[in-house]
Amino acid sequence: MALGKYTRVDNRRSPSSYCSTVSIVVFVALCLVGVWMMTSSSVVPVQNGDVPQENNNEAKQRVSGNNDGNTQQFEDKPGDLPEEVTKGDTNVDSESSSNSQEIQDEQLEDKPEKKPEEKPEEKIEEKPEEKPEEKIEEKPDANDDTKSDGERKTDDENSKLDGEEPNSKEGSDEKKTDSNEKRSGENEKKSENSDETKDGEKAGDQEEKVEKNNNQESDENTSEKKENGQPPDVFPSGAQSELLNETTTQNSAWSTQAAESKNEKQAQTSTQQTGYSWKLCNVTAGPDYIPCLDNLQAIRSLRTTKHYEHRERHCPDEAPTCLVRLPEGYRRPIEWPKSREKIWYSNVPHTKLAEVKGHQNWVKVTGEYLTFPGGGTQFKHGALHYIDFVQDSVSDIAWGKRSRVILDVGCGVASFGGYLFDKDVLTMSFAPKDEHEAQVQFALERGIPAISAVMGTKRLPFPGRVFDVVHCARCRVPWHIEGGKLLLELNRVLRPGGFFVWSATPVYQKGSEDVGIWNAMKELTKAMCWELVSISKDKVDSVGAAIFKKPTSNECYESRSETEPPICPDSDDPNAAWNVPLQACMHKVPVDASVRGSQWPEQWPARVEKPPYWLLSSQVGVYGKAAPEDFTSDYGHWKRVVSKSYLNGLGIDWSNVRNVMDMRSVYGGFAAALRDLRVWVMNVVPIDAPDTLPVIYERGLFGIYHDWCESFSTYPRSYDLVHADHLFSKVKQRCNLVAVVAEVDRILRPEGKLIVRDNTETINELENLLKSMHWEVRLSYSKDNEGLLCVQKSMWRPNESETIKYAIA
């Protein structure tokens, strides 16, 4: 083809021999075309025409992993291209069009009679090494087309594991060796088909797809390419599959036009069928709406509220499908650990608690911030001082070693739990949504674990015998009334040998009411066989704390002269906790060495990795293996997924992530894999899933039971990242999927991420719903009916509203 160019120049110099020259040119051109057609046996990726060769060489080294591991996968290039040309393969077609047009112009000027002979090139899409039903769509990267030999070899070997035909490798070699000659032909084909290529997403059950947004500035540093240039790991649920190596599935960089067009039509049809018109929730609670706690119609119909029934969950018959509006002036939350001391006032625009409790160092209004001095009613000089005071009182508490998982009752703004992180302790804080305005919302905005809950007529949503310590700092709960029913609930969730820390005025003040309560508590705790191990007063804060210890055997129970409170019958399951009424009885302490609760767990951090002693090989785990092996496989699986995919392959800036929820946790492997990051994970075990929540607590992690057909007991905008592993495909069988998606939108912060692993059908359905809410699809990948979806919530809110009558005062 270069000869054609020189011939054209020669023709200009010798116009007199024009006819003879044309004849020679035509003959040479036909020979070249023949050679070109014989050697063009496969399709090669198009090199970016605007990338110098030396840059390409550097790119080869970077992609092949020769740059000390700083490889990048789906590297985002903010500002390189507008978003509308970064979907699917269209962007590459656009880049190559100008390049191919120049070559075509030269060819057409020199050899107009060549064009009819180019038709056979259109049949290239029928080559066996290109599979229309499998494809990977990536955002553009100048390095994508410059893989090294070593990387191509690795990809070929991996593709064989996925069942690719053996001739894929040969085709890859041919593509590389003949790239210069075939480049113009490939560009011509791309240019001819560019008008037919769509900008929309490609969807289909039989395809593989990867879509990634390249407009996020933070992604340049975090979207690293995985080992061997492999896409993010996609496995079936948890450890139910063997622990396979992550592999690519196709050597060819481009899919065929037939497959692209077919999949685009399917995607457009699917979008039209599943499109949803969202509306804002018109409710009295406004941007703080919690459907199950703000059901005002149900609350008004209660016969009594003396047991705080009005603060309990009263979920509507049908979960709402509207979206909660944002507070005016909402902005991205301050990152941890700065958020522990201050948050944006505009995000939680409430001042009542600052006005009432400001003198007690709970919270103060400071300009555009709400600040938290770290104090509370019982620790005015700081939570850290108070935490040290408690351990000095009872050294066996051993924060962060023996005592790892704590329950804080009536937490206020949760400064106690917030500063226990410095001691390597996880604290489940809870308080009701009551006149102490937004206290739990303050905690969550600060990056501290908390839920809205109350000790009323039902059991707390936790298993029995799981918390190492239960704490109550002036929580004003009447523990001693009605046979000690509320304190007996704490006894249910407290681990044998665990401590109850009660820091309240009856411990150290001598008023008549305080003395009466203290005497009643001493009598009740003695009847419960709790040992008073310490009662001391802090001279700095002028407060005192009584610390009780739960027995580790049944000897005391059996030797009691009185039978009050009674022992629960053997038929009473201490782990049953979802909407179970409270009972004034005590469960016996397990004494069998193979039963949970008979021994204290390993000290932290060893307990997070070892299978609990009560997981027996004779037991079958969730995924069908022996329970200890199931546990180990699950942990290994999530460590690989997190390290190879989530931390580097999804473009997530983990410095912006603090509050994490796992919507369907099994053994807590996902949370355990994140334990070295500055995050905490709320592990949710659905009520219709195997009850593995005790395993999670045994590991030194925490979680909660929940029914995802209902609203979660948290404020809107609580979590930075929500993870769902094969949850939605199960939930949609009995719940309204639109309502569940609306609930995820409610609890996720704007700009927060949702990671979903599920079957392809569910992934496609979710993707369309989330797009209808203007969420940004950062990555979508599917293979063998299994998919991975990563999306980012936007600030978008609909204009229309829907009045929720039961939530209007």
Side-chain angles (χ1 to χ4, degrees), residues 37 64 222 243 286 288 399 436 480 572 651 667 671 728 731:
M37 291 178 62
S64 62
T222 59
L243 304 178
D288 298 335
W399 297 124
H436 282 173
H480 60 287
D572 191 309
Y667 297 116
F728 290 100
V731 167

Side-chain angles (χ1 to χ4, degrees), residues 381-639:
H381 291 85
L384 277 176
H385 170 79
Y386 173 80
I387 290 168
D388 290 337
F389 157 69
V390 171
Q391 179 160 312
D392 290 341
S393 301
V394 179
S395 59
D396 285 348
I397 283 182
W399 297 124
K401 295 180 180 178
R402 183 183 189 271
S403 298
R404 162 66 180 175
V405 187
I406 315 300
L407 179 65
D408 188 17
V409 183
C411 62
V413 296
S415 290
F416 177 69
Y419 283 90
L420 272 174
F421 277 109
D422 293 350
K423 303 290 186 179
D424 228 359
V425 174
L426 275 180
T427 307
M428 175 74 75
S429 301
F430 76 92
K433 185 179 183 181
D434 58 9
E435 61 274 2
H436 282 173
E437 187 181 42
Q439 54 188 330
V440 167
Q441 191 174 20
F442 283 137
L444 290 163
E445 185 71 14
R446 296 173 70 187
I448 303 171
I451 60 170
S452 290
V454 65
M455 298 193 71
T457 66
K458 300 176 182 178
R459 288 180 175 178
L460 295 171
F462 313 119
R465 306 186 297 268
V466 291
F467 289 102
D468 303 332
V469 175
V470 176
H471 173 259
C472 169
R474 204 173 182 177
C475 51
R476 295 187 175 181
V477 177
W479 301 115
H480 60 287
I481 66 172
E482 297 184 345
K485 183 181 293 187
L486 299 182
L487 194 61
L488 290 167
E489 172 62 4
L490 295 188
N491 185 74
R492 181 185 71 87
V493 300
L494 183 61
R495 192 183 299 279
F499 296 99
F500 173 58
V501 180
W502 188 40
S503 172
T505 56
V507 176
Y508 57 92
Q509 293 186 1
K510 302 305 179 183
S512 58
E513 182 180 4
D514 289 324
V515 171
I517 293 174
W518 171 248
N519 290 332
M521 278 290 287
K522 282 200 305 183
E523 182 179 349
L524 175 60
T525 53
K526 183 179 180 180
M528 294 171 57
C529 295
W530 282 11
E531 177 189 0
L532 179 59
V533 294
S534 173
I535 179 169
S536 56
K537 186 172 181 177
D538 178 28
K539 295 180 180 180
V540 176
D541 283 338
S542 298
V543 300
I547 302 177
F548 302 87
K549 184 177 182 180
K550 182 177 177 178
T552 56
S553 71
N554 296 311
E555 293 178 6
C556 177
Y557 297 151
E558 296 168 352
S559 63
R560 290 184 306 162
S561 57
E562 301 291 335
T563 58
E564 294 294 332
I567 300 297
C568 298
D570 294 339
S571 60
D572 191 309
D573 184 359
N575 295 320
W578 187 250
N579 293 329
V580 176
L582 289 176
Q583 297 185 56
C585 66
M586 298 181 296
H587 296 89
K588 289 184 178 181
V589 174
V591 292
D592 187 335
S594 63
V595 177
R596 181 176 65 86
S598 62
Q599 302 176 36
W600 197 264
E602 297 272 352
Q603 287 198 353
W604 179 264
R607 65 194 281 186
V608 76
E609 296 185 345
K610 291 185 177 181
Y613 64 88
W614 44 269
L615 281 184
L616 307 178
S617 298
S618 59
Q619 299 171 325
V620 178
V622 174
Y623 304 118
K625 301 178 182 179
E629 183 183 354
D630 227 32
F631 175 96
T632 303
S633 296
D634 178 79
Y635 185 35
H637 163 72
W638 286 112
K639 282 196 297 184

Side-chain angles (χ1 to χ4, degrees), residues 706-732:
H706 185 59
D707 181 357
W708 282 114
C709 292
E710 300 177 356
S711 169
F712 193 79
S713 292
T714 191
Y715 280 85
R717 305 170 300 281
S718 294
Y719 289 88
D720 303 300
L721 187 145
V722 175
H723 180 261
D725 177 36
H726 289 77
L727 171 80
F728 290 100
S729 57
K730 300 179 185 298
V731 167
K732 71 179 184 179

Side-chain angles (χ1 to χ4, degrees), residues 59-66 69-74 136 138 143-144 146-148 150-156 158-159 208 210 224-233 246-252 644 649 781:
K60 289 181 181 180
Q61 295 178 358
R62 187 161 61 249
V63 172
S64 62
N66 295 330
N70 294 328
T71 55
Q72 295 191 348
Q73 179 181 18
F74 315 132
I136 296 177
E138 294 187 23
N143 305 331
D144 286 349
T146 57
K147 287 187 177 182
S148 66
E151 183 180 358
R152 288 181 182 274
K153 181 177 180 181
T154 303
D155 289 346
D156 296 335
N158 290 336
S159 63
E208 292 186 9
V210 175
E224 297 183 1
K225 196 170 182 68
K226 296 174 58 178
E227 294 181 7
N228 299 329
Q230 297 159 354
D233 170 316
E246 297 176 336
T247 59
T248 54
T249 59
Q250 182 174 315
N251 288 326
S252 175
K644 293 187 177 182
Y781 176 91

